[in-house]
Amino acid sequence: MSTRSFAELGVPSNLIAALNDMDRSTPFPIQADTLPDTLAGRDVLGRGKTGSGKTLAFAIPLVARIAGHRAPAGTPSGLVLAPTRELATQITATVEPLARAAGLRVTTIFGGVKQTRQEQALSHGVDIVVACPGRLEDLMRQRIVDLSRVEVTVLDEADHMADLGFLPVVTRILAATPAGGQRMLFSATLDNGVDKLVRKFLSDPVSHSVDPENSPVVAMTHHVFEVGGKDDKSELVRVLASGTGRRILFTRTKHQAKKLAKQLTAQGIPARDLHGNLSQPQRDRNLEAFSSGTARVLVATDIAARGVHVDDVELVVHVDPPAEHKAYLHRSGRTARAGSEGTVVTVMTGDQRKDTLTLLKKAAISARPVGVTATSPVVVDLVGEVAPYVKPEPVAPPQQPQRRAGGGHAPGRGRAGRGKGTGQRSDGAGQGGQQRRQGQGAGRGGQQRQAPQGQGRPQGQGRAQQPRRRATRPAG
């Protein structure tokens, strides 16, 4: 039977136009299967492999169902829960074009960043919230967001939420949404308590499963390369990273990801790292560099195995075999997405052979290990055209030692010293006031009287001795 069009599935014309602008004119199987039920308001349990197109499968009915229902400040009509910041950001990027076409507003809520901008967005009125559970519950407790008017709730990658221990928080959040609202839950598996969420919060759900939960993507080619030792492995990884297309390299630890990205960049292969030690702005910058092509290589821990979708990733390399088969499938799923083809390489040493083969068997991957070096024909053929060498950008010398040197004696800090009554870093007037109340202002003032000439301190002495009069003045 031929694939039905979005129009035949009942998608509103304004959303079809937005889908065409997104180059999504033909439904994927999971979309074609679920849309008739979700657009009709049914609760749906969807199971599909990574890259199957489930984000649009819930984004389309989410927007269509609440279009025209503008939400008052702090009370969204639509809610999407996601386990990671990266996935929440990716979902928002998919939902926003559809929401604009329907005149709806979207915001993203997650931890790791200041909540001020999230508060402001909610206070101005937001129709759809895409959120990670922890920060959303914080805002609920502060009464900044109220879920009592939510009409449609979506749980994406519920199995990963269970893996991360979020199910108790998710349960409390779902309990705060109206019992009569529509709920959609998408998950690769129903273990670790996900089945309890389904029984408790979904009403007579329709189940849709596209491919078995452990089914590898058909358009994905798998290789297992065995190397002799550490040096052989390092050179093989460098060669695998040297091609012209986008590729993601997965490591076990944050330290390894950071170190490998630096090594590749120094070798003329622009790379960025992605792991839990990075701040959210750093993650965003590194992902943008990878998405835009500034960096062809992303070196990541398992944090990127869920929720990071960048078009045309042609190769995924397991620099370190993952700990279990689910992680293998989700890591590998960063390539061969949305009908594209892709290649996956697992690099292992002899002592990793037994565990790796067991893992691949559980993941239903039948690739046989091949002993290789960096110059083996199978490796050269896989890499294809080698990208031109890119000279690494010079690294600016660190400024931190100068800022800390000698307390109040650092050159150029006189202005901060006058504002705060100390020679320390300027972190805000409130902190300066606290230091002065503890007597630090006077102590620093005494040091400043003995500072070398030309440091701008004499003018600051008098002000440092009058902390009460100037305590509320912003530093600098």
Side-chain angles (χ1 to χ4, degrees):
M1 186 179 73
S2 61
T3 302
R4 299 169 67 187
S5 67
F6 280 120
E8 291 172 322
L9 293 169
V11 178
S13 58
N14 60 334
L15 299 190
I16 292 175
L19 288 166
N20 288 334
D21 290 341
M22 298 163 64
D23 197 24
R24 300 287 189 268
S25 57
T26 304
F28 290 166
I30 194 169
Q31 298 158 12
D33 286 356
T34 59
L35 281 172
D37 291 318
T38 54
L39 288 170
R42 294 286 303 272
D43 284 7
V44 163
L45 170 59
R47 292 170 60 182
K49 64 194 177 188
T50 182
S52 61
K54 58 181 167 49
T55 304
L56 275 179
F58 63 73
I60 292 170
L62 168 65
V63 172
R65 293 280 299 169
I66 68 173
H69 301 183
R70 295 304 298 268
T75 57
S77 300
L79 172 65
V80 182
L81 293 178
T84 66
R85 308 173 197 175
E86 284 71 26
L87 181 56
T89 302
Q90 295 282 355
I91 291 171
T92 300
T94 299
V95 172
E96 277 184 332
L98 300 173
R100 281 196 300 269
L104 300 176
R105 299 156 297 183
V106 185
T107 198
T108 313
I109 289 175
F110 48 68
V113 296
K114 292 182 179 180
Q115 72 178 43
T116 306
R117 298 177 74 175
Q118 298 168 4
E119 291 179 31
Q120 291 172 345
L122 290 165
S123 68
H124 293 149
V126 171
D127 303 293
I128 299 172
V129 166
V130 182
C132 294
R135 171 59 62 84
L136 179 62
E137 186 176 53
D138 288 344
L139 296 179
M140 291 168 61
R141 287 173 175 168
Q142 298 171 55
R143 301 195 177 186
I144 294 170
V145 63
D146 177 3
L147 303 183
S148 63
R149 293 175 179 260
V150 170
E151 301 174 34
V152 181
T153 304
V154 180
L155 262 68
D156 193 18
E157 301 210 355
D159 54 329
H160 192 36
M161 290 197 199
D163 293 341
L164 295 175
F166 281 143
L167 287 197
V169 181
V170 170
T171 300
R172 292 191 291 269
I173 291 173
L174 289 177
T177 64
Q182 181 183 12
R183 288 162 179 166
M184 293 175 268
L185 185 148
F186 289 81
S187 182
T189 65
L190 296 180
D191 51 7
N192 294 337
V194 176
D195 56 334
K196 294 180 181 178
L197 283 181
V198 174
R199 291 196 298 269
K200 184 171 183 177
F201 292 106
L202 271 66
S203 175
D204 189 25
V206 182
S207 295
H208 292 278
S209 183
V210 180
D211 302 312
E213 63 189 48
N214 285 342
S215 171
V217 180
V218 175
M220 191 184 293
T221 304
H222 298 261
H223 298 271
V224 181
F225 291 158
E226 184 171 348
V227 293
K230 183 178 178 181
D231 291 342
D232 292 336
K233 177 178 177 178
S234 296
E235 180 60 13
L236 174 62
V237 169
R238 184 196 66 79
V239 171
L240 290 172
S242 67
T244 57
R246 289 194 183 99
R247 48 211 62 209
I248 300 180
L249 280 53
F250 281 101
T251 63
R252 280 277 188 97
T253 69
K254 306 167 190 177
H255 172 72
Q256 288 171 309
K258 180 179 179 180
K259 180 180 179 181
L260 180 54
K262 284 186 175 181
Q263 287 176 340
L264 292 173
T265 301
Q267 293 166 340
I269 304 171
R272 297 290 188 275
D273 52 338
L274 186 68
H275 49 79
N277 278 353
L278 298 178
S279 67
Q280 190 59 41
Q282 288 173 319
R283 293 188 193 190
D284 292 342
R285 285 195 298 270
N286 288 357
L287 269 176
E288 173 58 28
F290 183 58
S291 300
S292 67
T294 303
R296 298 188 308 274
V297 177
L298 186 69
V299 187
T301 57
D302 283 337
I303 191 173
R306 303 258 188 170
V308 173
H309 171 46
V310 177
D311 290 335
D312 303 322
V313 174
E314 67 176 29
L315 176 65
V316 165
V317 179
H318 302 280
V319 176
D320 303 305
E324 43 91 31
H325 72 282
K326 283 186 184 179
Y328 178 93
L329 292 171
H330 286 292
R331 284 179 172 191
S332 301
R334 299 313 97 195
T335 187
R337 297 180 67 85
S340 300
E341 295 183 355
T343 302
V344 179
V345 171
T346 301
V347 180
M348 69 177 187
T349 54
D351 58 350
Q352 295 173 319
R353 184 184 181 96
K354 181 179 179 180
D355 290 342
T356 302
L357 294 182
T358 300
L359 176 149
L360 292 172
K361 184 177 180 180
K362 290 182 178 180
I365 303 300
S366 59
R368 290 189 312 168
V370 177
V372 301
T373 66
T375 58
S376 296
V378 64
V379 175
V380 174
D381 290 344
L382 188 153
V383 173
E385 181 184 357
V386 175
Y389 174 91
V390 177
K391 184 177 180 180
E393 295 182 2
V395 179
Q399 298 297 317
Q400 195 170 6
Q402 181 180 352
R403 293 162 66 120
R404 292 180 177 175
H409 302 292
R413 304 299 289 176
R415 186 172 176 85
R418 289 196 300 273
K420 294 173 64 175
T422 91
Q424 296 181 356
R425 292 177 57 187
S426 174
D427 293 325
Q431 181 181 349
Q434 181 182 7
Q435 291 173 345
R436 284 188 285 272
R437 286 192 296 274
Q438 294 170 348
Q440 293 182 13
R444 292 295 184 187
Q447 293 177 8
Q448 291 167 359
R449 283 193 290 270
Q450 300 176 21
Q453 293 182 357
Q455 304 247 351
R457 296 305 183 191
Q459 294 88 342
Q461 293 172 20
R463 291 180 174 84
Q465 295 166 357
Q466 302 176 38
R468 294 296 180 184
R469 188 175 59 185
R470 305 184 60 83
T472 59
R473 178 173 175 173

